[in-house]
Every structure is written in C-alpha cells, then in structure tokens.
Amino acid sequence: MMLDPTTILLTAEDAQTAAQTLHRGGLVAFPTETVYGLGADASNADAVARLYAAKGRPSFNPLIAHVADLNAARTIARFDDVALRLAEAFWPGPLTLVLPKAENCPVCDLATAGLDSVALRVPAHPIAQSMLRAFGGAVVAPSANRSGHVSPTTAAHVAADLSGRIDAIVDGGPVIVGVESTIVGCLGSPVLLRPGGVPREAIERVLGRALIAAATVADAGHAPVAPGMLASHYAPHANVRLGATRIEQGEALLAFGSDLPPGSEAAVAVRNLSPRGDLAEAAAHLFGALRELDAAGVRAIAVMPIPTHGLGEAINDRLRRAAAPRP
C-alpha cells in the first residue's frame, strides 16, 4: 500500500492515537462492518469542512454521526417508540436512523446540511467501537473515498483515493458486510431512505408493517435528507450496463452465479460476486470487484441480473446509482 508521507497507517491497537487525531481536528479513515468510513469530530465544523474538501463532497449532502452506544445516541437525537425499537433490535449494526435533533445537539450544522434532523448509527466493528469509546463523542463518517467513487472495503482502497488528503488510516482488513448501512427515516411514519446492510424484510418484521419507500433526490427534486440518495453515486470510471444477458465486445463482466451469459468467454475481464449465488457474499465483494474491473481500464462493465430480495435490494440500488448518468 503506497501512502503519501502526510498520511499515517495505524493498526487495530491504535484506537487511542486515532481518537487523539480526531480531537485535534484531524481526519481518520477506519473500518466499520459495512465499508471504511472517513471520520471527523462531529462537533468541529472546521474538521467537517476539511472532510467535505477531502472527499470533494457536496456540502448539501448530510453525514452520518457514529456513536458507541444507544445512550450516546440519545444525547444527540430524539427517539420515539418506533425508533427505539429499531435501535434496540439492530444496534450495534448496519442500520442508520434519521431522527429529530435533540435540544443542544452537539453535531454541527455543517454535518447535518442545516437540517433539523440528524443521521445516527452505532457500528458493530470492534475497531470502530474501540475508537469511538476512546474518542468519547460523535464522529461523522461518510465512506472513505472521493465523492461519487466506488466505496472502499479495504485500507488499500482508502489509500488509493485519499492518501495525502487525510491524516491517518486504521487498517482493519477487509470489511464483512460490504455495502453501506440501511437508512430509515423516523420523522413520522418510518421511511426506507436507502437499502443497505439490514434487509428491508428484517426491519419490517420488527415494525410489524411495511416501510414507506423514498424517491431518489433526482426524482424528488430537492436536497437529500440522508447520505447515499443522489441518483449518481458509487460510480466507477467505466460505464455500467445492468441486466446483461449477453456480453458485448470490449466489455468486462460483473457476474453472479455459476451460469455465465453468452459472450463471457470473450470478456476483457471477469469478476464473479458469488459463483454459488449467495447474496451476502456478493454484497461483501461488490465494491472491490467494481474497483478491480475499473482499474483494468475497461470502457464498460456489463452486470448480470441479481435477485432483488434480501441484500439483493441494496446491491441493485448501488448498481443502479453506479450506472446512472453522471452529473
């Protein structure tokens, strides 16, 4: 892994060093169970501004604040019975809740894009937990990549995008889930704002009712209330073609399952998300496979159809955004 000398590499045992860097207003990339996040002190507007600049991220796109436990979350946001039920069922874990800000909410306005709501998560990854407990407050942490690029699932992915732009990377090895957290808005009736690491069906079982689906920002015509809602997102440089049942000349293939489509033998490159057709395995490999195919310099990536149930909903959401017209 090649690092700019201004970015240091930390290990799992360096939680205290990472926390001290955050307290000084620094930017630290660290692993969660979903993807690597780029952390900044949520209460420090200058640090958050540096984070936006490092990512090249639009400042109207709000950030998720990460905390160590539910007690810390309740100092930041107001929980109704529904939100509390979801937090108790899925935290720590890959679920983000968008909630009304608590009085004297410590998360700065820049991190919430000036909204009266805040996105909150309690990650399950042991390194994230250690760092958050050592830090003792909220850490905003979008994915640790340039805005709109493919999300990072290893420390090497972070270095490729952000080395020299941030202060430290905590290397915790490959992540487990591989797609970002599910986001549920709890500003009234619960709304699925972004599918992710917790399948819709699991949330609906806890709620005892169906989630309302939110339109993308492009459809709704207004600024996002949560991360990951921009129509074009998670995009490689190559064009992405979905639902491919035949591979065209010059394309790479992003496969799923054991039965490959006609033309696959002539594909420029092939990566199979899961030869056995397992959606959890596919989610874990998604962003890494997109990065590998993109690094091969292909002009287009053809993606085989992927089931839409369970984690397939999140996988297909990311692929649709990767294939959307670029702004």
Side-chain angles (χ1 to χ4, degrees), residues 28-314:
V28 178
F30 63 97
T32 76
E33 67 276 23
T34 56
V35 298
Y36 273 70
L38 179 58
D41 180 351
S43 66
N44 184 336
D46 289 337
V48 174
R50 278 193 65 210
L51 186 154
Y52 278 124
K55 280 181 62 70
R57 183 184 179 97
S59 59
F60 56 76
N61 202 358
L63 305 174
I64 297 173
H66 296 66
V67 291
D69 53 39
L70 177 57
N71 287 337
R74 297 185 81 166
T75 68
I76 293 171
R78 302 196 306 272
F79 286 73
D80 61 14
D81 290 342
V82 168
L84 193 58
R85 208 182 327 153
L86 292 175
E88 290 173 341
F90 297 109
W91 281 356
L95 176 70
T96 294
L97 299 177
V98 177
L99 303 161
K101 288 180 180 176
E103 189 175 358
N104 301 318
C105 172
V107 178
C108 68
D109 285 342
L110 183 59
T112 62
L115 300 171
D116 292 328
S117 57
V118 60
L120 277 176
R121 181 159 94 90
V122 177
H125 197 290
I127 292 177
Q129 277 284 318
S130 295
M131 189 192 75
L132 289 167
R133 293 191 184 282
F135 180 71
V139 173
V140 290
S143 56
N145 58 296
R146 297 294 298 275
S147 187
H149 287 194
V150 179
S151 297
T153 55
T154 67
H157 294 164
V158 179
D161 257 19
L162 296 177
S163 181
R165 291 172 164 263
I166 64 177
D167 299 286
I169 301 171
V170 185
D171 188 353
V175 302
I176 297 170
V177 177
V179 292
E180 293 84 355
S181 61
T182 303
I183 303 180
V184 174
C186 294
L187 304 171
S189 296
V191 177
L192 181 63
L193 297 174
R194 179 180 76 183
V198 178
R200 173 202 297 264
E201 298 90 335
I203 297 169
E204 291 178 339
R205 280 196 295 272
V206 171
L207 294 176
R209 56 174 153 156
L211 282 165
I212 300 169
T216 65
V217 171
D219 294 336
H222 52 69
V225 296
M229 294 184 70
L230 295 173
S232 177
H233 207 57
Y234 318 109
H237 296 291
N239 291 325
V240 176
R241 183 169 68 88
L242 303 181
T245 56
R246 183 175 185 85
I247 307 308
E248 305 297 337
Q249 185 175 4
E251 289 185 323
L253 170 63
L254 187 63
F256 177 80
S258 57
D259 296 327
L260 302 187
S264 57
E265 66 281 354
V268 177
V270 178
R271 293 292 182 275
N272 198 322
L273 296 176
S274 176
R276 58 192 176 130
D278 182 271
L279 288 170
E281 182 181 29
H285 293 162
L286 175 63
F287 290 134
L290 281 172
R291 281 180 174 267
E292 288 172 9
L293 292 176
D294 209 31
V298 300
R299 66 168 180 82
I301 299 171
V303 183
M304 287 177 60
I306 294 173
T308 58
H309 61 81
L311 283 175
E313 183 177 19

